Amino acid sequence: MPFFISAVRRGIPGCLAGAVLMSCAISQQQEVELGATTAAEVSAQLPLIKDAAVVSYINTLGTQLAQATDTRDLDWTFTVVDSREVNAFALPGGWVYVNRGLIERATDMSELAGVIAHEIGHVTLRHSVQQLQQAQGANAGLVVLCTMTKVCESGVSQAAINVGGSALFAKFSRTDEAEADAEAVATTVKAGITPRGIPAMFRLLLSERQSNPSALDAFFASHPLEESRITATEALIAKYQAAQLNRLTKDTQAFQTFRRRLLALPPSPATKAP
Ligand SMILES: [Zn+2]
């Protein structure tokens, strides 16, 4: 049995027994178990950066953001994936992953914070869990599989996760993206960080797509990004008073030290084609 389906069947037994899942609410405990199982699989299949200073910084920044918005007291874990591709993704229950390639492209702390806050938003809004809850009967396992990975496109029997991370948690709707963006704006402000890094990062990624499209395939596959997301985010930011925004943090020494440390690490392993 493919890994994810067996994991889901173990994790949510009551749901799969019924013909219709609409009424099957996935508890927080089940959500965390699903996330933990999937996180173990991610650890086995993706190259993760173990450098203590890198792990410490990403968790300090991530926790600062999560604590500003999480009302469910989840146990958050933030991880840097050793991939030159640009990507970020989250698993249910509080596991957030950011590729080294995205961090190295960020120019200041607020740009990375915006991406992390967006992924936190997917978790706190339970976007993946909702997709699972809306699935029916035996298809539930496949929905999780397809939501989290691209194995549906490559054959369920070959549940290999793409090193670039494009495989994971790909299929959010534009509505989900807009909601996660709005969460990211609110969360960064609550955490004392300027939300202006969010549209700034979008602009950076859109302009890089022109010059180096393949490095961004994974990110754009999982996060539909158009000019409209930039204008929508800027409109949300414009609702805050300029004086308040100007008091928020844009960059820190700690971020620049962290970024330099990543740049100095050995090159990322070569990635498979998506
Ligand atoms: Zn997203």
Side-chain angles (χ1 to χ4, degrees):
M1 183 181 289
F3 174 81
F4 284 104
I5 294 180
S6 65
V8 169
R9 288 203 172 145
R10 284 198 307 273
I12 318 170
C15 297
L16 292 174
V20 177
L21 274 173
M22 294 297 285
S23 59
C24 169
I26 292 168
S27 72
Q28 180 169 323
Q29 186 191 340
Q30 288 167 329
E31 177 188 344
V32 170
E33 284 171 7
L34 179 60
T37 310
T38 313
E41 183 71 359
V42 169
S43 301
Q45 300 214 25
L46 292 187
L48 307 178
I49 293 187
K50 304 278 170 47
D51 179 87
V54 168
V55 171
S56 170
Y57 180 81
I58 196 81
N59 278 281
T60 301
L61 177 61
T63 302
Q64 178 187 351
L65 290 158
Q67 286 181 345
T69 183
D70 176 24
T71 55
R72 294 190 292 154
D73 202 24
L74 293 170
D75 198 3
W76 294 83
T77 305
F78 300 87
T79 304
V80 179
V81 180
D82 196 358
S83 168
R84 71 191 73 160
E85 310 275 317
V86 173
N87 204 13
F89 59 91
L91 305 178
W95 284 265
V96 174
Y97 300 81
V98 185
N99 279 13
R100 174 183 178 182
L102 186 148
I103 298 165
E104 291 178 355
R105 283 168 175 83
T107 51
D108 62 45
M109 183 274 286
S110 74
E111 294 176 356
L112 172 60
V115 170
I116 294 175
H118 174 98
E119 298 302 331
I120 289 172
H122 281 311
V123 176
T124 56
L125 296 166
R126 302 187 95 206
H127 284 150
S128 316
V129 175
Q130 282 169 14
Q131 289 187 30
L132 178 60
Q133 286 176 166
Q134 286 161 8
Q136 292 192 353
N139 289 330
L142 277 177
V143 168
V144 170
L145 193 70
C146 299
T147 306
M148 292 182 182
T149 76
K150 275 192 171 171
V151 294
C152 298
E153 293 165 20
S154 62
V156 170
S157 60
Q158 298 174 339
I161 298 177
N162 175 280
V163 171
S166 63
L168 287 143
F169 257 50
K171 301 287 195 299
F172 290 125
S173 66
R174 284 180 165 73
T175 307
D176 287 349
E177 289 306 287
E179 286 179 7
D181 286 346
E183 277 291 298
V185 170
T187 298
T188 48
V189 170
K190 280 188 243 170
I193 298 168
T194 181
R196 289 173 174 145
I198 300 165
M201 190 64 173
F202 290 161
R203 284 192 199 290
L204 201 141
L205 296 177
L206 281 176
S207 78
E208 178 146 351
R209 180 160 61 170
Q210 319 259 316
S211 56
N212 187 13
S214 63
L216 280 83
D217 280 352
F219 184 85
F220 286 109
S222 56
H223 301 77
L225 175 57
E226 294 111 14
E227 278 295 324
S228 60
R229 276 181 71 193
I230 297 179
T231 45
T233 317
E234 285 177 336
L236 288 172
I237 295 170
K239 292 180 179 170
Y240 293 90
Q241 301 213 333
Q244 181 189 1
L245 291 173
N246 292 337
R247 280 196 299 272
L248 301 171
T249 306
K250 178 175 164 64
D251 200 12
T252 59
Q253 281 287 337
F255 170 79
Q256 293 299 338
T257 303
F258 162 72
R259 183 172 171 275
R260 276 196 302 274
R261 190 164 182 94
L262 281 177
L263 286 165
L265 290 176
S268 299
T271 57
K272 294 180 233 164

